[in-house]
Coordinates of all heavy atoms in Angstrom, one line a residue:
Chain A
Y85 N 12.5 6.2 12.1 CA 13.4 7.3 12.5 C 13.9 7.2 13.9 O 14.9 7.7 14.2 CB 12.8 8.6 12.3 CG 12.6 9.0 10.8 CD1 11.3 9.1 10.3 CD2 13.6 9.3 10.0 CE1 11.1 9.4 9.0 CE2 13.5 9.6 8.7 CZ 12.2 9.7 8.1 OH 12.0 10.0 6.8
S86 N 13.1 6.5 14.8 CA 13.4 6.5 16.2 C 12.7 5.4 16.9 O 11.7 4.9 16.4 CB 12.9 7.9 16.7 OG 12.9 7.8 18.2
A88 N 11.3 5.9 19.7 CA 10.2 6.5 20.2 C 9.1 6.6 19.2 O 9.0 7.6 18.5 CB 10.5 7.9 20.8
A89 N 8.4 5.5 19.0 CA 7.6 5.3 17.8 C 6.4 6.2 17.7 O 5.8 6.6 18.7 CB 7.1 3.8 17.8
L90 N 6.1 6.7 16.5 CA 4.9 7.5 16.3 C 3.9 6.7 15.5 O 2.7 6.8 15.9 CB 5.3 8.8 15.5 CG 5.9 10.0 16.2 CD1 6.1 11.1 15.3 CD2 5.0 10.4 17.4
E94 N 6.4 2.1 13.0 CA 7.5 2.3 13.9 C 7.3 1.5 15.2 O 8.2 1.0 15.8 CB 7.7 3.8 14.2 CG 8.2 4.5 13.0 CD 8.5 6.0 13.2 OE1 7.8 6.6 14.1 OE2 9.3 6.6 12.5
T121 N 25.0 9.6 2.7 CA 24.9 11.0 2.4 C 24.2 11.8 3.5 O 24.0 13.0 3.4 CB 24.1 11.2 1.1 OG1 22.7 10.7 1.3 CG2 24.7 10.4 -0.1
N122 N 23.7 11.1 4.5 CA 23.0 11.7 5.5 C 23.2 11.1 6.9 O 22.3 10.6 7.6 CB 21.5 11.6 5.2 CG 20.6 12.4 6.1 OD1 21.0 13.2 6.9 ND2 19.3 12.2 6.0
L123 N 24.5 11.0 7.2 CA 24.9 10.2 8.4 C 24.4 10.7 9.8 O 23.9 9.9 10.6 CB 26.4 10.0 8.5 CG 27.0 8.9 7.6 CD1 28.5 8.9 7.7 CD2 26.4 7.5 8.0
P124 N 24.4 12.0 10.1 CA 24.0 12.4 11.4 C 22.5 11.9 11.8 O 22.4 11.3 12.8 CB 24.0 13.9 11.3 CG 24.9 14.3 10.3 CD 24.8 13.1 9.3
R125 N 21.6 12.2 10.9 CA 20.2 11.7 11.3 C 20.1 10.2 11.3 O 19.4 9.7 12.1 CB 19.2 12.3 10.2 CG 17.8 12.1 10.7 CD 16.8 12.2 9.6 NE 16.9 11.0 8.7 CZ 16.5 11.1 7.5 NH1 16.1 12.1 6.9 NH2 16.6 9.9 6.8
Y128 N 21.4 8.7 14.6 CA 20.5 8.9 15.7 C 19.8 7.6 16.1 O 19.8 7.2 17.2 CB 19.4 10.0 15.4 CG 18.6 10.3 16.6 CD1 18.9 11.3 17.5 CD2 17.4 9.7 16.8 CE1 18.2 11.6 18.6 CE2 16.6 9.9 17.9 CZ 17.0 10.9 18.8 OH 16.2 11.2 19.9
Q132 N 20.4 4.8 19.3 CA 19.3 4.2 20.2 C 19.4 2.7 20.1 O 19.2 2.0 21.1 CB 17.9 4.6 19.6 CG 17.6 6.1 19.9 CD 16.2 6.4 19.4 OE1 15.7 5.9 18.4 NE2 15.5 7.2 20.2
L267 N 13.0 14.1 27.1 CA 12.9 14.0 25.6 C 14.0 14.9 25.0 O 14.8 14.4 24.2 CB 11.6 14.5 25.1 CG 10.4 13.5 25.3 CD1 9.1 14.2 24.9 CD2 10.7 12.3 24.4
R268 N 14.0 16.1 25.4 CA 15.0 17.1 24.8 C 16.4 16.8 25.2 O 17.3 16.9 24.4 CB 14.6 18.5 25.2 CG 13.4 19.0 24.5 CD 12.9 20.3 24.9 NE 11.7 20.7 24.2 CZ 11.6 21.8 23.5 NH1 12.5 22.6 23.3 NH2 10.4 22.0 22.8
V271 N 17.7 13.9 23.0 CA 17.9 14.3 21.6 C 19.3 15.1 21.6 O 20.1 14.8 20.8 CB 16.8 15.1 21.0 CG1 17.2 15.6 19.7 CG2 15.5 14.3 21.0
R272 N 19.4 16.1 22.5 CA 20.6 16.9 22.4 C 21.8 16.1 22.7 O 22.8 16.3 22.0 CB 20.5 18.1 23.5 CG 19.5 19.1 23.0 CD 19.5 20.3 23.9 NE 18.3 21.1 23.7 CZ 17.4 21.4 24.6 NH1 17.5 20.9 25.9 NH2 16.3 22.1 24.3
Y275 N 22.8 14.0 19.6 CA 23.3 14.7 18.5 C 24.7 15.3 18.8 O 25.6 15.4 18.0 CB 22.4 15.9 18.0 CG 21.4 15.3 16.9 CD1 20.1 15.1 17.2 CD2 21.9 14.9 15.7 CE1 19.3 14.6 16.2 CE2 21.1 14.4 14.7 CZ 19.7 14.2 15.0 OH 18.9 13.7 14.0
R288 N 34.0 16.5 3.5 CA 33.1 17.2 2.5 C 33.9 18.0 1.5 O 34.9 18.5 1.8 CB 32.0 18.1 3.2 CG 31.0 17.3 3.9 CD 30.2 18.3 4.8 NE 29.4 17.6 5.7 CZ 28.3 17.0 5.4 NH1 27.8 17.1 4.3 NH2 27.6 16.3 6.4
N295 N 23.4 20.1 -7.2 CA 22.3 19.3 -6.7 C 21.2 19.1 -7.7 O 20.4 20.0 -7.8 CB 21.9 19.9 -5.4 CG 20.8 19.1 -4.6 OD1 20.2 18.2 -5.2 ND2 20.7 19.3 -3.4
R298 N 17.5 19.2 -6.5 CA 17.0 20.5 -6.2 C 16.5 21.2 -7.5 O 15.5 21.8 -7.6 CB 18.2 21.4 -5.6 CG 17.9 22.8 -5.2 CD 17.0 22.9 -4.0 NE 16.2 24.0 -4.0 CZ 14.9 24.0 -4.1 NH1 14.2 22.8 -4.2 NH2 14.2 25.1 -4.2
D301 N 13.3 19.7 -8.5 CA 12.2 20.2 -7.7 C 11.8 21.6 -8.0 O 10.6 22.0 -7.8 CB 12.6 20.2 -6.2 CG 12.0 18.9 -5.6 OD1 11.1 18.4 -6.1 OD2 12.6 18.5 -4.5
T305 N 7.9 21.0 -8.1 CA 7.1 21.4 -7.0 C 6.9 22.9 -7.1 O 6.6 23.6 -6.1 CB 7.8 21.1 -5.6 OG1 9.0 21.7 -5.6 CG2 8.0 19.6 -5.5
H306 N 7.1 23.5 -8.2 CA 6.9 24.9 -8.4 C 5.4 25.3 -8.1 O 4.5 24.5 -8.3 CB 7.2 25.3 -9.9 CG 7.1 26.7 -10.2 ND1 6.0 27.3 -10.8 CD2 8.0 27.7 -10.1 CE1 6.1 28.6 -10.9 NE2 7.4 28.9 -10.5
K307 N 5.2 26.5 -7.7 CA 3.9 27.0 -7.3 C 2.9 26.7 -8.4 O 1.8 26.2 -8.1 CB 4.0 28.5 -7.0 CG 3.2 28.9 -5.8 CD 3.4 30.4 -5.5 CE 2.6 30.8 -4.3 NZ 3.0 30.2 -3.0
G310 N 4.2 23.0 -10.6 CA 4.0 21.7 -9.8 C 2.6 21.1 -10.0 O 2.5 19.9 -10.2
G311 N 1.6 21.9 -9.9 CA 0.2 21.4 -10.1 C 0.0 20.9 -11.5 O -0.5 19.8 -11.7
R396 N 6.8 14.0 -3.1 CA 6.4 15.3 -3.6 C 4.9 15.4 -3.7 O 4.4 16.5 -3.5 CB 7.1 15.6 -4.9 CG 8.5 16.3 -4.7 CD 9.5 15.3 -4.3 NE 10.8 15.9 -4.1 CZ 11.9 15.2 -3.7 NH1 11.7 13.9 -3.5 NH2 13.0 15.8 -3.5
H399 N 3.5 16.0 -0.4 CA 3.9 17.4 0.0 C 2.9 18.4 -0.7 O 2.4 19.2 0.0 CB 5.4 17.6 -0.4 CG 5.8 19.1 -0.4 ND1 5.9 19.7 0.8 CD2 6.1 19.9 -1.4 CE1 6.3 21.0 0.5 NE2 6.4 21.1 -0.8
M400 N 2.7 18.2 -2.0 CA 1.9 19.2 -2.7 C 0.4 19.1 -2.4 O -0.3 20.1 -2.5 CB 2.1 19.1 -4.2 CG 3.5 19.5 -4.6 SD 3.6 19.6 -6.4 CE 3.8 17.9 -6.9
D402 N -0.8 18.1 0.7 CA -1.1 18.1 2.1 C -2.3 19.2 2.4 O -3.2 18.9 3.2 CB 0.1 18.4 2.9 CG -0.2 18.5 4.4 OD1 -0.7 17.5 4.9 OD2 0.0 19.6 5.0
R403 N -2.1 20.3 1.8 CA -3.1 21.4 2.1 C -4.5 21.0 1.7 O -5.5 21.2 2.4 CB -2.7 22.7 1.4 CG -3.4 23.9 1.7 CD -3.1 24.3 3.1 NE -4.2 25.3 3.7 CZ -5.4 25.0 4.1 NH1 -5.7 23.7 4.1 NH2 -6.2 25.8 4.5
L404 N -4.6 20.3 0.6 CA -5.8 19.8 0.1 C -6.4 18.8 1.0 O -7.6 18.8 1.4 CB -5.6 19.2 -1.3 CG -6.6 19.3 -2.4 CD1 -6.8 20.7 -2.8 CD2 -6.1 18.5 -3.6
R406 N -5.8 18.3 4.0 CA -6.0 18.9 5.3 C -7.5 19.4 5.4 O -8.1 19.4 6.5 CB -5.1 20.1 5.5 CG -4.9 20.4 6.9 CD -3.9 21.5 7.0 NE -3.9 22.0 8.4 CZ -3.0 22.9 8.8 NH1 -2.0 23.3 8.0 NH2 -3.0 23.3 10.1
L410 N -7.4 15.3 6.9 CA -6.4 14.3 6.7 C -5.1 15.0 6.4 O -5.0 16.2 6.5 CB -6.7 13.4 5.5 CG -8.0 12.6 5.7 CD1 -8.3 11.9 4.4 CD2 -7.8 11.6 6.8
S411 N -4.0 14.3 6.0 CA -2.7 14.9 5.7 C -2.2 14.4 4.4 O -2.8 13.4 3.8 CB -1.7 14.6 6.8 OG -1.2 13.3 6.7
G412 N -1.2 15.0 3.9 CA -0.6 14.6 2.7 C -0.2 13.1 2.7 O -0.1 12.5 1.6
T512 N -6.3 17.1 13.8 CA -5.5 16.4 12.8 C -4.1 16.0 13.5 O -3.6 16.7 14.4 CB -5.2 17.2 11.5 OG1 -4.2 18.2 11.9 CG2 -6.4 17.8 11.0
G513 N -3.5 15.0 13.0 CA -2.3 14.5 13.6 C -1.1 15.2 13.1 O 0.0 14.9 13.5
G514 N -1.2 16.1 12.2 CA -0.1 16.9 11.7 C 0.6 16.2 10.5 O 0.1 15.1 10.1
F515 N 1.6 16.8 10.0 CA 2.3 16.2 8.8 C 3.8 16.6 8.9 O 4.2 17.7 9.1 CB 1.6 16.9 7.6 CG 2.3 16.5 6.3 CD1 2.2 15.2 5.7 CD2 3.0 17.5 5.6 CE1 2.7 14.9 4.5 CE2 3.6 17.1 4.3 CZ 3.5 15.8 3.9
L516 N 4.5 15.6 8.6 CA 6.0 15.7 8.6 C 6.5 14.6 7.6 O 6.2 13.5 7.9 CB 6.6 15.5 10.0 CG 8.0 15.8 10.2 CD1 8.4 17.2 9.8 CD2 8.4 15.5 11.7
L517 N 7.2 15.0 6.6 CA 7.6 14.0 5.6 C 9.0 14.3 5.0 O 9.3 15.5 4.6 CB 6.6 14.0 4.5 CG 6.7 12.8 3.5 CD1 6.4 11.5 4.1 CD2 5.8 13.1 2.3
E518 N 9.8 13.3 5.0 CA 11.1 13.5 4.3 C 10.9 13.5 2.8 O 10.1 12.7 2.3 CB 12.0 12.3 4.7 CG 13.4 12.5 4.1 CD 14.3 11.4 4.4 OE1 14.0 10.5 5.2 OE2 15.5 11.4 3.8
L519 N 11.6 14.4 2.1 CA 11.5 14.4 0.7 C 12.9 13.9 0.2 O 13.9 14.6 0.1 CB 11.3 15.8 0.1 CG 10.0 16.5 0.7 CD1 9.9 18.0 0.2 CD2 8.8 15.7 0.2
Chain B
S9 N 15.6 30.3 0.3 CA 17.1 30.3 -0.2 C 18.0 31.1 0.7 O 19.0 31.7 0.2 CB 17.2 30.7 -1.6 OG 16.4 29.9 -2.4
A16 N 15.8 28.4 19.0 CA 14.9 27.8 20.0 C 13.8 27.0 19.4 O 13.3 27.3 18.3 CB 14.4 28.9 21.0
I17 N 13.4 26.0 20.1 CA 12.2 25.2 19.7 C 11.1 25.4 20.8 O 11.3 24.8 21.8 CB 12.6 23.8 19.4 CG1 13.5 23.7 18.1 CG2 11.3 22.9 19.1 CD1 14.6 22.8 18.3
R18 N 10.1 26.1 20.4 CA 9.1 26.4 21.5 C 8.0 25.4 21.4 O 7.1 25.4 22.3 CB 8.6 27.8 21.3 CG 9.6 28.9 21.7 CD 9.1 30.3 21.5 NE 9.0 30.6 20.0 CZ 7.8 31.0 19.4 NH1 6.7 31.0 20.1 NH2 7.8 31.2 18.1
G19 N 7.8 24.7 20.4 CA 6.7 23.7 20.2 C 6.8 22.6 21.2 O 7.9 22.3 21.7
T20 N 5.7 22.0 21.5 CA 5.7 20.7 22.2 C 4.9 19.7 21.4 O 4.6 20.0 20.2 CB 4.9 20.9 23.6 OG1 3.7 21.5 23.3 CG2 5.7 21.8 24.5
P22 N 4.2 15.6 19.9 CA 4.9 14.5 19.2 C 5.7 14.9 18.0 O 6.8 14.5 17.8 CB 3.9 13.4 19.0 CG 2.6 14.0 19.2 CD 2.7 15.2 20.0
L23 N 5.0 15.8 17.2 CA 5.7 16.2 15.9 C 6.9 17.0 16.1 O 7.9 16.9 15.4 CB 4.7 16.9 14.9 CG 3.9 15.9 14.1 CD1 3.3 16.7 13.0 CD2 4.6 14.7 13.6
T24 N 6.8 17.9 17.1 CA 8.0 18.7 17.4 C 9.2 17.9 17.9 O 10.3 18.0 17.5 CB 7.6 19.8 18.4 OG1 6.6 20.6 17.9 CG2 8.8 20.7 18.8
H25 N 8.8 16.9 18.8 CA 9.8 16.0 19.3 C 10.4 15.2 18.1 O 11.6 15.0 18.1 CB 9.1 15.0 20.3 CG 10.1 14.1 20.9 ND1 9.9 12.7 21.0 CD2 11.4 14.2 21.3 CE1 10.9 12.1 21.5 NE2 11.8 13.0 21.7
R26 N 9.6 14.8 17.2 CA 10.1 14.0 16.1 C 11.0 14.9 15.2 O 12.1 14.4 14.8 CB 9.0 13.5 15.3 CG 9.4 12.8 13.9 CD 10.5 11.7 14.1 NE 10.2 10.7 15.0 CZ 9.6 9.5 14.8 NH1 9.3 9.3 13.5 NH2 9.5 8.6 15.7
L27 N 10.7 16.2 15.0 CA 11.5 17.1 14.3 C 12.9 17.2 14.9 O 13.9 17.2 14.2 CB 10.9 18.5 14.2 CG 10.0 18.8 13.0 CD1 9.3 20.1 13.3 CD2 10.8 18.8 11.8
M28 N 12.9 17.3 16.2 CA 14.2 17.3 17.0 C 14.9 16.0 16.7 O 16.2 16.1 16.5 CB 13.9 17.6 18.4 CG 13.3 18.9 18.8 SD 13.1 19.2 20.5 CE 14.8 19.3 21.1
E29 N 14.3 14.9 16.8 CA 14.9 13.6 16.6 C 15.5 13.5 15.2 O 16.5 12.8 15.0 CB 14.0 12.4 16.9 CG 13.6 12.3 18.3 CD 12.9 11.0 18.6 OE1 11.8 10.7 17.9 OE2 13.4 10.2 19.4
M30 N 14.9 14.2 14.3 CA 15.4 14.2 12.9 C 16.5 15.2 12.7 O 16.9 15.5 11.5 CB 14.2 14.4 11.9 CG 13.3 13.1 11.9 SD 11.8 13.4 10.9 CE 12.5 13.1 9.2
G31 N 16.9 15.9 13.7 CA 18.0 16.8 13.6 C 17.7 18.3 13.7 O 18.6 19.1 13.7
L32 N 16.4 18.6 13.8 CA 16.1 20.0 13.9 C 16.2 20.5 15.4 O 15.2 20.5 16.1 CB 14.7 20.3 13.3 CG 14.5 21.7 12.9 CD1 13.8 21.7 11.6 CD2 13.7 22.5 13.9
I33 N 17.4 20.8 15.8 CA 17.6 21.2 17.2 C 18.4 22.5 17.2 O 18.8 23.0 16.1 CB 18.4 20.1 18.0 CG1 19.7 19.8 17.2 CG2 17.6 18.9 18.3 CD1 20.7 18.9 18.0
E34 N 18.5 23.1 18.4 CA 19.3 24.4 18.5 C 20.6 24.3 17.8 O 21.4 23.3 18.0 CB 19.4 24.8 20.0 CG 18.1 25.1 20.7 CD 17.5 23.9 21.2 OE1 17.9 22.7 20.9 OE2 16.5 24.1 22.0
E39 N 17.3 25.7 5.7 CA 17.0 26.6 4.6 C 15.6 26.3 4.0 O 15.3 25.2 3.7 CB 18.1 26.4 3.5 CG 17.9 27.3 2.3 CD 19.0 26.9 1.2 OE1 19.9 26.2 1.4 OE2 18.7 27.4 0.0
V40 N 14.8 27.3 3.9 CA 13.5 27.2 3.3 C 13.7 27.1 1.8 O 14.2 28.1 1.2 CB 12.5 28.3 3.7 CG1 11.2 28.1 2.9 CG2 12.3 28.3 5.2
L41 N 13.3 26.0 1.1 CA 13.5 25.9 -0.3 C 12.3 26.4 -1.1 O 12.4 26.8 -2.2 CB 13.8 24.5 -0.7 CG 15.1 23.9 -0.1 CD1 15.2 22.4 -0.4 CD2 16.3 24.6 -0.5
G42 N 11.1 26.4 -0.4 CA 9.9 26.8 -1.1 C 8.7 26.3 -0.3 O 8.8 25.8 0.8
R43 N 7.6 26.6 -0.9 CA 6.3 26.2 -0.3 C 5.6 25.3 -1.3 O 5.7 25.5 -2.5 CB 5.5 27.3 0.1 CG 6.0 28.0 1.4 CD 5.4 29.4 1.5 NE 6.0 30.0 2.6 CZ 5.3 30.3 3.7 NH1 4.0 30.1 3.8 NH2 5.9 30.9 4.8
A44 N 4.7 24.5 -0.8 CA 3.8 23.7 -1.7 C 2.9 24.6 -2.5 O 2.7 25.8 -2.0 CB 3.0 22.7 -0.9
P45 N 2.4 24.2 -3.7 CA 1.6 25.1 -4.5 C 0.5 25.8 -3.8 O 0.1 26.9 -4.1 CB 1.1 24.2 -5.6 CG 2.2 23.1 -5.7 CD 2.7 23.0 -4.4
L46 N -0.1 25.2 -2.8 CA -1.2 25.8 -2.0 C -0.7 26.6 -0.8 O -1.5 26.9 0.0 CB -2.2 24.7 -1.7 CG -2.9 24.0 -2.8 CD1 -3.7 22.8 -2.4 CD2 -3.8 25.0 -3.6
G47 N 0.6 26.9 -0.7 CA 1.1 27.8 0.3 C 1.6 27.1 1.6 O 2.4 27.6 2.3
D48 N 1.2 25.8 1.8 CA 1.6 25.1 2.9 C 1.6 23.6 2.5 O 0.8 23.2 1.6 CB 0.6 25.3 4.1 CG 1.0 24.8 5.4 OD1 2.1 25.2 5.9 OD2 0.3 23.9 6.0
P49 N 2.5 22.8 3.0 CA 3.6 22.9 3.9 C 4.8 23.6 3.3 O 4.8 23.9 2.1 CB 3.9 21.5 4.3 CG 3.3 20.6 3.3 CD 2.2 21.4 2.6
L50 N 5.8 23.7 4.1 CA 7.1 24.3 3.7 C 8.0 23.1 3.3 O 8.0 22.0 3.8 CB 7.8 25.0 4.9 CG 7.5 26.4 5.2 CD1 6.1 26.6 5.6 CD2 8.5 27.0 6.2
H51 N 8.9 23.5 2.3 CA 9.9 22.5 1.8 C 11.2 23.1 2.3 O 11.6 24.1 1.9 CB 9.8 22.5 0.3 CG 10.8 21.5 -0.3 ND1 10.8 21.2 -1.7 CD2 11.8 20.8 0.2 CE1 11.7 20.4 -2.0 NE2 12.4 20.1 -0.9
V52 N 11.8 22.4 3.2 CA 13.1 22.9 3.8 C 14.2 21.9 3.7 O 14.0 20.7 3.5 CB 12.9 23.2 5.3 CG1 11.8 24.2 5.6 CG2 12.7 21.9 6.1
R53 N 15.4 22.4 3.6 CA 16.6 21.6 3.7 C 17.1 21.7 5.1 O 17.3 22.7 5.7 CB 17.7 22.1 2.7 CG 18.8 21.1 2.6 CD 20.2 21.6 2.2 NE 20.1 22.6 1.2 CZ 20.1 22.4 -0.1 NH1 20.0 21.2 -0.6 NH2 20.1 23.4 -1.0
L54 N 17.4 20.5 5.7 CA 17.9 20.4 7.0 C 19.2 19.6 7.0 O 19.1 18.3 6.8 CB 16.8 19.7 7.9 CG 17.3 19.3 9.3 CD1 17.8 20.5 10.1 CD2 16.1 18.7 10.1
G55 N 20.3 20.3 7.1 CA 21.6 19.5 7.0 C 21.7 18.9 5.6 O 21.7 19.6 4.6
D56 N 21.7 17.5 5.6 CA 22.0 16.8 4.3 C 20.7 16.4 3.6 O 20.8 15.7 2.6 CB 22.8 15.6 4.6 CG 24.2 16.0 5.2 OD1 24.8 16.9 4.7 OD2 24.6 15.3 6.2
Y57 N 19.6 16.7 4.2 CA 18.4 16.2 3.5 C 17.2 17.2 3.5 O 17.4 18.3 4.0 CB 17.9 14.9 4.2 CG 17.3 15.0 5.5 CD1 15.9 15.0 5.7 CD2 18.1 15.2 6.6 CE1 15.4 15.1 6.9 CE2 17.6 15.4 7.9 CZ 16.2 15.3 8.0 OH 15.6 15.4 9.3
E58 N 16.2 16.8 2.8 CA 15.0 17.7 2.7 C 13.8 17.2 3.3 O 13.6 16.0 3.4 CB 14.8 18.0 1.2 CG 15.9 18.8 0.6 CD 15.9 18.8 -1.0 OE1 14.7 18.7 -1.5 OE2 16.9 19.0 -1.6
L59 N 12.9 18.1 3.7 CA 11.8 17.8 4.6 C 10.6 18.7 4.2 O 10.8 19.8 3.8 CB 12.3 18.1 6.0 CG 11.6 17.5 7.2 CD1 11.7 16.0 7.2 CD2 12.3 18.1 8.5
S60 N 9.4 18.1 4.5 CA 8.2 18.9 4.3 C 7.6 19.0 5.6 O 7.3 18.0 6.3 CB 7.3 18.2 3.3 OG 6.0 18.7 3.3
L61 N 7.4 20.2 6.1 CA 6.7 20.4 7.4 C 5.7 21.5 7.3 O 5.8 22.5 6.5 CB 7.7 20.6 8.5 CG 8.3 22.0 8.7 CD1 8.8 22.1 10.2 CD2 9.5 22.1 7.8
R62 N 4.7 21.5 8.2 CA 3.6 22.5 8.1 C 4.0 23.7 8.9 O 4.8 23.7 9.8 CB 2.3 21.9 8.7 CG 1.6 20.9 7.8 CD 0.3 20.4 8.6 NE -0.5 19.5 7.7 CZ -1.5 18.8 8.1 NH1 -1.9 18.9 9.4 NH2 -2.2 18.1 7.3
G63 N 3.3 24.8 8.5 CA 3.4 26.1 9.2 C 3.1 25.9 10.7 O 3.7 26.6 11.6
D64 N 2.2 25.0 11.0 CA 1.8 24.7 12.4 C 3.1 24.4 13.3 O 3.1 24.9 14.4 CB 1.0 23.4 12.5 CG -0.4 23.6 11.8 OD1 -0.6 24.7 11.4 OD2 -1.2 22.7 11.8
E65 N 4.0 23.7 12.7 CA 5.2 23.4 13.5 C 6.3 24.5 13.3 O 6.9 24.9 14.2 CB 5.8 22.0 13.0 CG 5.2 20.8 13.7 CD 3.8 20.5 13.3 OE1 3.6 20.5 12.0 OE2 2.9 20.3 14.1

Side-chain angles (χ1 to χ4, degrees):
Chain A
Y85 289 111
S86 161
L90 278 185
E94 291 180 336
T121 65
N122 186 10
L123 276 178
R125 193 200 70 205
Y128 184 86
Q132 288 184 321
L267 282 173
R268 288 176 182 236
V271 175
R272 288 189 194 118
Y275 272 108
R288 288 171 194 278
N295 187 339
R298 181 74 210 111
D301 260 341
T305 63
H306 182 265
K307 221 173 178 69
R396 270 74 183 180
H399 164 72
M400 288 191 283
D402 178 60
R403 188 68 196 78
L404 214 62
R406 201 177 171 173
L410 298 172
S411 79
T512 73
F515 176 71
L516 185 59
L517 186 70
E518 181 182 355
L519 302 175
Chain B
S9 308
I17 291 141
R18 288 178 290 122
T20 52
L23 276 197
T24 298
H25 180 227
R26 174 49 57 90
L27 266 173
M28 292 180 69
E29 291 193 301
M30 290 174 81
L32 202 137
I33 51 172
E34 294 86 349
E39 180 186 346
V40 175
L41 298 176
R43 285 163 183 248
L46 296 171
D48 192 57
L50 272 68
H51 181 171
V52 303
R53 190 206 320 275
L54 169 58
D56 298 317
Y57 71 102
E58 294 169 24
L59 197 64
S60 167
L61 77 157
R62 282 182 178 170
D64 295 357
E65 275 74 45

